[in-house]
Amino acid sequence: MHTNDAFSFLMAWAAAPFRVGSVAPSSSTLASLMTREIGPETGQVLELGPGTGPFTRALIERGVREQDLTLVEADSDFAAMLNKRFPSARVFEMDATGLRHLALYNGPVVGAAVSGLPFRLISPRRTRLILEGVFANLRPGASLYQFTLGLRCPIDQSMLDQLDLKATRVGHTLRNFPPATVYRISRIPIVKSYDWRYAS
C-alpha cells in the first residue's frame, strides 16, 4: 500500500465516514481474496467504490484487461486518481444508486461485480437500488463479491429474499485492518415447477 493512499483514504474517511466506511484502504490479502474467482475469462467487470484501486490492481493481476473494467466511484478525488492510474478503464464519478438509470453496457454482459461499498452504513432503500442496478448489468450466473468488516453478511437476509439473491461466504482474512470476510452474492436459480399431469 502506498503511504499516500493511506493518507488519502484517511482524509476521505474523515470528511465522509458514512460514505467511505473504513479508515484505511483494503490490504493486498483482502484484494486477493475478493478477486480469486475472477480471471480473464470473466470479461467485463464492474467495480463499485474502488477508492485508491487495491481491488482494481488485483483484478488486472488476475488477467482482467484494464479496458474491461468499469469503475464507479462517488468521491471526486478518488475518481481523478483512478483515471490517472487506470487510463484504459472506464471511470464514472457517480453514486452507485444511479446504476438503475444508466446504461453502462449494451445489455446484461458483466461477468462479475466487485464492491468496496460499506453496505452496513447504507440505508435499506439505497442498498436495494444499488443491488437492482448491479444485477441488471450482470449476465446470468455472474455474481457480486462483497467484503465486510462485520461478523455477518452486510446485506440483510430479508433484502436478499426480496431480490431472490443468496449470500455465500467465500473466505476470511486476518491480514487486513480490521479483519474482513468476503461474500459472493448471486441470483437464486429459478426452478421450473413440476406438473404431474404430464409425467410418463
Side-chain angles (χ1 to χ4, degrees):
M1 180 198 311
H2 298 293
T3 303
N4 287 343
D5 286 5
F7 180 76
S8 297
F9 215 89
L10 180 60
M11 291 300 97
W13 175 84
F18 290 101
R19 186 174 68 188
V20 178
S22 178
V23 298
S26 300
S27 68
S28 59
T29 304
L30 175 56
S32 178
L33 182 60
M34 279 283 283
T35 60
R36 74 179 185 186
E37 297 183 353
I38 302 173
E41 72 286 348
T42 305
Q44 297 286 339
V45 176
L46 173 64
E47 186 177 356
L48 310 179
T52 59
F55 299 159
T56 315
R57 284 189 292 271
L59 288 166
I60 293 171
E61 290 171 2
R62 294 284 187 193
V64 177
R65 300 187 309 164
E66 189 173 311
Q67 57 265 40
D68 286 338
L69 295 171
T70 297
L71 314 178
V72 175
E73 174 57 59
D75 185 274
S76 59
D77 291 335
F78 285 156
M81 184 184 299
L82 293 165
N83 269 311
K84 291 180 180 178
R85 291 184 174 178
F86 310 104
S88 296
R90 296 195 305 165
V91 179
F92 288 85
E93 183 185 329
M94 59 177 284
D95 188 295
T97 56
L99 288 172
R100 293 174 71 248
H101 307 294
L102 182 64
L104 294 178
Y105 308 92
N106 184 21
V109 299
V110 179
V114 175
S115 170
L117 298 178
F119 277 112
R120 294 179 301 116
L121 305 177
I122 297 175
S123 71
R125 177 182 173 278
R126 293 185 69 242
T127 294
R128 182 180 184 115
L129 293 176
I130 293 169
L131 291 176
E132 287 176 346
V134 168
F135 279 90
N137 285 286
L138 291 181
R139 65 181 183 238
S143 299
L144 164 67
Y145 294 86
Q146 175 68 47
F147 81 93
T148 181
L149 306 178
L151 300 177
R152 61 181 183 179
C153 180
I155 301 170
D156 288 343
Q157 186 60 51
S158 60
M159 178 70 68
L160 295 172
D161 291 341
Q162 291 173 32
L163 299 175
D164 293 324
L165 301 174
K166 64 177 180 179
T168 304
R169 189 176 185 271
V170 173
H172 178 80
T173 178
L174 296 173
R175 298 182 66 182
N176 189 73
F177 178 75
T181 302
V182 174
Y183 287 88
R184 182 196 316 112
I185 313 294
S186 53
R187 294 184 182 92
I188 297 174
I190 298 174
V191 179
K192 293 183 178 180
S193 60
Y194 178 76
D195 193 332
W196 59 268
R197 294 174 299 174
Y198 298 103
S200 57

